[in-house]
Amino acid sequence: MSYKAIQLIKRPSGDLTPDIFATVELPRPVLEEGQFLVRQTHMSLDPAMRTWLQEREDSYIEPVQVGEVMRSYGVGEVVESRNPDYPAGARVIGITGWAEYVLGNADMQVVDPAIDPEALLSVFYMTGLTAYVGLIRIGRPKAGETLVVSGAAGSVGSLVGQIAKAEGMRVVGIAGSDEKCRWLEEELGFDKAINYKSDNLGGQLDEACPNGIDLYYENTGGVIQPLVFERMNRFGRIVVCGMISEYNRDQPTPGPSWVDINLKALRVEGFVVVDHQDKAQEATEALAGYLQNGQLRFRTQVLEGLDSAIDGLSMLFRGDNTGKLLVRI
Amino acid sequence: MSYKAIQLIKRPSGDLTPDIFATVELPRPVLEEGQFLVRQTHMSLDPAMRTWLQEREDSYIEPVQVGEVMRSYGVGEVVESRNPDYPAGARVIGITGWAEYVLGNADMQVVDPAIDPEALLSVFYMTGLTAYVGLIRIGRPKAGETLVVSGAAGSVGSLVGQIAKAEGMRVVGIAGSDEKCRWLEEELGFDKAINYKSDNLGGQLDEACPNGIDLYYENTGGVIQPLVFERMNRFGRIVVCGMISEYNRDQPTPGPSWVDINLKALRVEGFVVVDHQDKAQEATEALAGYLQNGQLRFRTQVLEGLDSAIDGLSMLFRGDNTGKLLVRI
């Protein structure tokens, strides 16, 4: 008995290319006492995965080693178990990998089978926790303030904007196509969405943010960053959640001078969601509340088959996805 | 009866030049009910004054207008009063101006005449409050962590390093001459001081900070900034108190990419002391405590005569001062 998996076979340099991965057949393991085997049904594709491919000093997480199965988050079903906490038939969510089957680990959580796995990966778990921690705990939103969120049509950005609306903010989203902008304004209730590939971005920001910008939720970096930065109000907060436009670069693009951070008393604070697992319960409850109040919508784009993950990961960096990107196996 | 004062007669562009100021004789005012007149004895010269000369949107303070007397902090004696809260003979500290006499204002504080005015301006008031708020409230030091402070031989930087030592940190100072570095190490007890005009700054930082850098107290910007930034530990904090190397530039120098802020979960937070007057009492008590414990030393450089302020202000930007720069009138 064997199963299909995708291994990292060399480190990327610059843009992701399919040749850094290889599909292999691995033997299905014989379980020891305490182990359990999960047949994965849904995998999440996330920009952060790009940072797991690189060796970096001070990294927040061990990089995936060359020769290892690529790491991911996913949902699956326990198909065989020698662990009473994870009985056969249970649905679990956790760190999996690009594989049809994965050996369970103690960080996996058993989840209610009534909850749609797509909703689980799109609104709760790491995606929801990221949006919640970054906006609420780090950004500390106040009703009446103006939020700008980049990567607004992405999985995290779209939640951030909707939570901010629920908290009474004026919300302006930055996205990469007119279709995404329409979705943000018409379906998600953003006050304004700006296509960063259009002209006169500064003028569009001025119009969208007549009272300046109090909170910037940064998912992307890129051309929009300096334009938002120079429009920050005094005592503004910038939450650096992601820098997707930078992850494929060998040489990082410089950021803004710190003079404005000084004189406007700005706070620029980064975070990585894996450091905030202790807020998972709080986040889940808050997100469930927004969802029940009809304040959160999401869309998923589901790719079919394990192999689709390889190009799927690149789609995130091209901005080709619409909503939360998942692979169904 | 008239007195001497120095007015701003045009806005600077780039480095400060003496021709932006002019010395004038002004008539001594006749007091109305509630007013009082202060003969200024000591004025403080501070890097922040450069930022008061420029028109800026979102400035934290009104710029000094062309034709107005230059603004400063200072100490003086009430020489005439129609205000019972500020009787003749009282010593006061507050916002004054480059002038022999200033009309009192309600923000002035009456101070104990037993305290040396030089100590008042060097350890307490705005200088001490700046060091205290930035380090303790924003930087949140922990014993055993490593602090790097730029502008370490300056009025604020030298207090920051000494307070950090008192709080149990490893303290590394950045200064602009070997003499200043010796003073920091031999007199103030810094663990290490580095002359930013010397070679191999990165190697010197590595040696001085074997466990990386947890807290960076930024007073200067310049060549040291990216070198310190790339050595920050995860969860590091950067307090942006000043950017003296940038204040004379029309085009600000870019800062570091935000990728590390994201992945290392750094917090970069700026502040301006005028926003933190509510912590003055707390700061004064804490500073008095450090002083009584023999944990704070200071040195002042005193210039003689009102006119010396004009070149004196430029000395701060050339790094020509040693310790807190004052003018005695």
Side-chain angles (χ1 to χ4, degrees):
Chain A
M1 279 274 289
S2 69
Y3 66 91
K4 204 155 74 166
I6 299 174
Q7 293 177 337
L8 180 69
I9 58 169
K10 64 177 182 187
R11 299 217 173 274
S13 153
D15 287 344
L16 293 178
T17 49
D19 61 336
I20 65 169
F21 296 113
T23 304
V24 295
E25 287 285 328
L26 297 177
R28 186 161 155 168
V30 177
L31 297 187
E32 295 172 17
E33 189 56 37
Q35 291 187 321
F36 59 103
L37 189 69
V38 176
R39 184 177 64 77
Q40 186 164 233
T41 57
H42 296 80
M43 294 191 326
S44 174
L45 295 179
D46 299 286
M49 296 167 108
R50 180 65 177 82
T51 69
W52 304 344
L53 297 175
Q54 219 95 43
E55 304 243 22
R56 237 190 92 96
E57 274 185 78
D58 288 321
S59 182
Y60 66 93
I61 197 168
E62 274 295 297
V64 177
Q65 298 301 331
V66 171
E68 282 184 352
V69 172
M70 178 60 189
R71 182 191 297 141
S72 63
Y73 299 114
V75 171
E77 188 191 343
V78 179
V79 289
E80 193 187 334
S81 179
R82 295 186 64 185
N83 185 325
D85 294 336
Y86 300 91
R91 179 175 287 166
V92 293
I93 190 167
I95 294 177
T96 56
W98 285 6
E100 293 171 330
Y101 288 84
V102 296
L103 212 49
N105 58 67
D107 289 331
M108 284 185 170
Q109 301 161 36
V110 176
V111 291
D112 182 346
I115 305 174
D116 172 27
E118 295 184 9
L120 258 181
L121 289 171
S122 299
V123 178
F124 295 98
Y125 200 52
M126 291 306 200
T127 302
L129 183 58
T130 303
Y132 177 84
V133 165
L135 180 65
I136 301 291
R137 287 298 203 102
I138 298 176
R140 297 178 212 149
K142 296 193 193 84
E145 288 187 334
T146 297
L147 169 91
V148 172
V149 52
S150 62
S155 57
V156 170
S158 58
L159 293 181
V160 165
Q162 293 177 88
I163 297 171
K165 281 304 296 177
E167 297 292 325
M169 301 188 84
R170 177 174 180 81
V171 171
V172 176
I174 312 297
S177 76
D178 291 343
E179 187 281 325
K180 289 176 179 177
C181 288
R182 269 194 304 276
W183 177 62
L184 294 171
E185 291 181 0
E186 292 170 14
E187 302 287 323
L188 302 195
F190 280 46
D191 294 290
K192 182 72 193 170
I194 296 172
N195 181 347
Y196 72 82
K197 294 172 182 164
S198 63
D199 294 332
N200 187 24
L201 290 174
Q204 290 187 68
L205 275 172
D206 286 337
E207 204 171 310
C209 307
N211 300 316
I213 299 165
D214 303 292
L215 217 167
Y216 179 33
Y217 196 106
E218 172 66 291
N219 287 308
T220 63
V223 291
I224 200 74
Q225 183 186 89
L227 298 172
V228 172
F229 185 80
E230 67 192 35
R231 286 166 176 78
M232 293 299 296
N233 290 330
R234 293 206 76 225
F235 308 114
R237 291 87 66 200
I238 296 174
V239 180
V240 188
C241 173
M243 289 284 289
I244 192 171
S245 74
E246 291 291 316
Y247 293 154
N248 285 349
R249 292 180 200 267
D250 292 330
Q251 284 301 321
T253 309
S257 158
W258 289 356
V259 168
D260 274 11
I261 296 178
N262 175 195
L263 298 182
K264 290 186 183 177
L266 303 180
R267 173 164 57 89
V268 185
E269 187 162 350
F271 79 108
V272 175
V273 70
V274 296
D275 296 322
H276 296 273
Q277 299 289 356
D278 59 321
K279 288 135 200 141
Q281 183 62 28
E282 171 188 333
T284 299
E285 286 167 15
L287 292 161
Y290 295 126
L291 205 55
Q292 274 163 7
N293 294 340
Q295 292 168 312
L296 284 192
R297 295 178 177 208
F298 64 96
R299 62 179 179 185
T300 56
Q301 181 172 2
V302 181
L303 307 177
E304 295 291 340
L306 182 69
D307 288 320
S308 66
I310 296 176
D311 185 59
L313 187 55
S314 289
M315 288 174 67
L316 294 169
F317 294 87
R318 296 194 302 262
D320 286 351
N321 58 305
T322 54
K324 176 67 191 168
L325 193 61
L326 302 178
V327 173
R328 185 158 49 202
I329 305 177
Chain B
M1 278 273 289
S2 69
Y3 65 92
K4 204 156 73 166
I6 298 174
Q7 293 176 337
L8 179 69
I9 58 168
K10 64 177 182 186
R11 300 218 171 274
S13 153
D15 287 343
L16 293 178
T17 49
D19 61 337
I20 65 170
F21 295 113
T23 304
V24 295
E25 286 284 330
L26 296 177
R28 185 163 156 167
V30 176
L31 297 187
E32 295 172 17
E33 189 58 37
Q35 292 187 320
F36 59 104
L37 189 70
V38 176
R39 186 178 62 79
Q40 185 165 232
T41 58
H42 296 79
M43 291 190 329
S44 175
L45 295 179
D46 299 284
M49 295 166 109
R50 179 65 176 82
T51 68
W52 304 343
L53 297 175
Q54 219 95 44
E55 304 244 21
R56 237 190 92 95
E57 272 185 79
D58 287 321
S59 183
Y60 65 92
I61 197 168
E62 274 294 297
V64 178
Q65 298 301 332
V66 171
E68 282 184 352
V69 173
M70 178 61 190
R71 183 191 296 141
S72 64
Y73 299 113
V75 171
E77 187 191 343
V78 178
V79 288
E80 193 188 332
S81 179
R82 296 186 64 185
N83 185 325
D85 295 336
Y86 299 91
R91 180 176 288 167
V92 292
I93 190 167
I95 294 177
T96 56
W98 284 7
E100 293 171 328
Y101 288 84
V102 296
L103 212 48
N105 59 66
D107 290 331
M108 284 184 170
Q109 301 160 36
V110 176
V111 292
D112 183 347
I115 306 174
D116 172 27
E118 295 185 10
L120 258 181
L121 290 171
S122 299
V123 178
F124 295 98
Y125 200 53
M126 290 307 200
T127 302
L129 183 59
T130 302
Y132 177 85
V133 165
L135 180 65
I136 301 291
R137 288 297 204 102
I138 298 176
R140 297 178 212 148
K142 295 191 193 85
E145 288 187 333
T146 297
L147 169 91
V148 172
V149 53
S150 61
S155 57
V156 170
S158 59
L159 292 181
V160 166
Q162 293 177 90
I163 298 170
K165 282 304 298 175
E167 296 292 325
M169 301 189 84
R170 177 174 179 79
V171 171
V172 176
I174 312 297
S177 76
D178 291 343
E179 188 280 325
K180 289 177 179 177
C181 288
R182 270 193 304 276
W183 178 62
L184 293 172
E185 290 181 0
E186 292 169 16
E187 302 287 323
L188 302 195
F190 280 46
D191 295 288
K192 183 70 193 169
I194 296 173
N195 181 347
Y196 73 83
K197 293 172 181 163
S198 63
D199 294 332
N200 187 24
L201 290 174
Q204 291 187 69
L205 275 173
D206 286 337
E207 204 171 310
C209 308
N211 300 316
I213 300 164
D214 303 293
L215 216 167
Y216 178 34
Y217 196 106
E218 172 66 290
N219 286 310
T220 63
V223 291
I224 200 74
Q225 183 185 88
L227 298 172
V228 172
F229 184 78
E230 66 193 37
R231 286 165 176 79
M232 293 300 295
N233 291 329
R234 292 205 77 225
F235 308 114
R237 291 87 67 203
I238 296 174
V239 180
V240 188
C241 172
M243 291 283 290
I244 192 171
S245 73
E246 292 291 317
Y247 294 154
N248 285 349
R249 292 180 198 268
D250 290 330
Q251 283 303 319
T253 309
S257 156
W258 289 355
V259 168
D260 274 11
I261 296 178
N262 175 196
L263 299 182
K264 290 186 181 176
L266 303 178
R267 172 165 58 90
V268 185
E269 187 163 350
F271 78 106
V272 175
V273 69
V274 296
D275 297 321
H276 296 272
Q277 299 289 355
D278 59 322
K279 289 133 201 145
Q281 183 62 27
E282 170 189 335
T284 300
E285 286 167 15
L287 292 161
Y290 296 125
L291 205 56
Q292 275 162 9
N293 295 340
Q295 293 169 311
L296 283 192
R297 294 176 178 210
F298 63 96
R299 61 179 178 185
T300 55
Q301 181 172 3
V302 181
L303 307 177
E304 296 292 339
L306 182 68
D307 288 321
S308 66
I310 295 176
D311 185 59
L313 187 55
S314 290
M315 288 175 67
L316 294 168
F317 294 87
R318 297 193 303 262
D320 285 352
N321 57 305
T322 54
K324 176 66 193 169
L325 194 60
L326 302 178
V327 172
R328 185 157 50 203
I329 305 175

